Amino acid sequence: MKDRVLIIAPPNDIHTYALKVVLKSEFNLHPIVWDNGSMPAHSLMDFILNEDNADFRIEGSEGSVTLSTILSIWWRRPSKFRLDNSITDPKVRKFCMAECDHFFRGVLNAIDVPIINNPFNESLAEYKPFQLMMALRVGLDIPKTVMSNDPDSILNFWKSLDGRCIYKNFTSPSWTFSETRLLTKETLKDLPKLRHAPIIVQEKIEKGLDVRVNVFGKTVYAASVKTYIPAAELDWRLDLTGKWEEHILPDAISKQLISLLNNLGLHYGCIDLRQQADGTYKFFEVNPSGQFLFIEIDTGQPLLRSLAKLLVSPEIMNSNISHKGHEIL
């Protein structure tokens, strides 16, 4: 009987345990949390093939789960594989890590189980050049952008916008928080360092209404944030006291965002927009596995339940567009 939802996540992940409560209490399912990083040192995985079928088993801290019992998988937050300390040779450690990754991701792509989100699609969607290009293709409006490791290109772009530019990284460093920053004359002195790593530079979109959109399959929930500190003008994440409230997103934008996720091969994503003074929206980025509990707490929007419904009935992904609980045909 397929009554288990496999959640791939590290220990003590708040979103994971909140979803477990919803899956158990509202859908009578048995979620199993597995930290893939516990493999190979502390958990086991099998993939068995024969002439007419395949089987899959994970043996982890919450017990055993097999292919025949898995209804769906939530690819929440995968971990790095952790090897036994007895493996000391760096070359051997690198090989073992590569073998684990090849095996694990290959199995996930081989088994006929719905995954939210498919790790291959999610990995591709995280590339900023790709997601911005796809946003343009579905008709979304994005800031003027240059991505480069050429100091002259960045400087010329900055001059063309009279210095009204921000910059950010492609990825988040593991050792620090990486917020959006102004590209100032002082910052320009560091442009020669671009030979070490390229950056993203965009036109500065004047402060409007920052909107976070959570899309679950064909269901769209939008919320806007009220911030209280000047630094949050560039990045709302810097204001930990910010308050979220429900935002009514135009149906046309909702459809474009759903099309974007479809084109990226995603069933769930957190999308950042900024509504400008004239009512139009600028698309900033999509996070394929973003946080959303803080918005549910402030707004009461049923985000956990929407994710749970996808995992319980993956066919919902092919249903009509739903926006704030009503159908958009």
Side-chain angles (χ1 to χ4, degrees), residues 90-144:
K91 296 191 297 297
V92 176
R93 291 186 67 87
K94 183 177 180 180
F95 172 77
C96 291
M97 291 286 282
E99 291 291 279
C100 288
D101 188 67
H102 188 100
F103 175 44
F104 175 55
R105 290 177 181 267
V107 168
L108 286 182
N109 210 42
I111 59 177
D112 188 20
V113 175
I115 304 176
I116 301 174
N117 288 303
N118 181 288
F120 292 91
N121 296 344
E122 181 166 304
S123 178
L124 181 59
E126 288 175 340
Y127 288 106
K128 293 298 191 297
F130 179 61
Q131 64 171 246
L132 286 174
M133 192 67 227
M134 298 302 287
L136 283 175
R137 288 181 181 175
V138 301
L140 290 163
D141 190 12
I142 71 168
K144 295 176 182 176

Side-chain angles (χ1 to χ4, degrees), residues 184-204:
T184 63
K185 286 185 178 179
E186 186 65 25
T187 313
L188 290 174
K189 296 177 182 178
D190 291 327
L191 282 184
K193 295 180 181 179
L194 287 182
R195 71 181 187 275
H196 302 300
I199 59 171
I200 304 169
V201 179
Q202 294 180 310
E203 65 173 318
K204 180 179 180 288

Side-chain angles (χ1 to χ4, degrees), residues 31-52:
I32 297 289
V33 180
W34 182 56
D35 175 17
N36 68 288
S38 63
M39 191 180 84
H42 302 292
S43 60
L44 305 171
M45 193 167 103
D46 294 331
F47 185 52
I48 303 169
L49 295 164
N50 56 40
E51 295 84 1
D52 53 8

Side-chain angles (χ1 to χ4, degrees), residues 198-224:
I199 59 171
I200 304 169
V201 179
Q202 294 180 310
E203 65 173 318
K204 180 179 180 288
I205 304 303
E206 295 306 316
K207 179 64 176 174
L209 197 61
D210 284 314
V211 178
R212 167 62 73 95
V213 185
N214 289 286
V215 180
F216 303 90
K218 305 299 181 183
T219 305
V220 178
Y221 292 97
S224 58

Side-chain angles (χ1 to χ4, degrees), residues 301-313:
Q301 293 173 330
L303 307 182
L304 277 171
R305 196 172 195 281
S306 295
L307 176 59
K309 285 174 67 177
L310 271 186
L311 291 164
V312 170
S313 303

Side-chain angles (χ1 to χ4, degrees), residues 138-252:
V138 301
L140 290 163
D141 190 12
I142 71 168
K144 295 176 182 176
T145 302
V146 62
M147 306 177 192
S148 180
N149 69 334
D150 182 349
D152 289 338
S153 293
I154 299 297
L155 182 59
N156 290 337
F157 184 80
W158 184 83
K159 289 178 178 178
S160 73
L161 292 172
D162 297 321
R164 291 177 285 104
C165 294
I166 57 91
Y167 72 98
K168 50 191 174 182
N169 302 328
F170 287 92
T171 61
S172 298
S174 59
W175 62 89
T176 185
F177 178 75
S178 179
E179 75 276 16
T180 300
R181 300 180 183 182
L182 280 174
L183 185 60
T184 63
K185 286 185 178 179
E186 186 65 25
T187 313
L188 290 174
K189 296 177 182 178
D190 291 327
L191 282 184
K193 295 180 181 179
L194 287 182
R195 71 181 187 275
H196 302 300
I199 59 171
I200 304 169
V201 179
Q202 294 180 310
E203 65 173 318
K204 180 179 180 288
I205 304 303
E206 295 306 316
K207 179 64 176 174
L209 197 61
D210 284 314
V211 178
R212 167 62 73 95
V213 185
N214 289 286
V215 180
F216 303 90
K218 305 299 181 183
T219 305
V220 178
Y221 292 97
S224 58
V225 63
K226 184 179 293 185
T227 56
Y228 302 94
I229 64 174
E233 179 181 345
L234 294 180
D235 194 329
W236 57 259
R237 296 174 301 171
L238 295 174
D239 189 351
L240 299 180
T241 66
K243 297 297 181 184
W244 292 86
E245 59 185 25
E246 188 173 356
H247 180 81
I248 305 302
L249 198 65
D251 290 349

Side-chain angles (χ1 to χ4, degrees), residues 12-29:
N12 304 319
D13 178 72
I14 295 175
H15 282 67
T16 293
Y17 288 95
L19 183 69
K20 281 186 70 174
V21 171
V22 173
L23 288 170
K24 286 181 178 179
S25 62
E26 297 194 33
F27 298 95
N28 196 31
L29 290 176

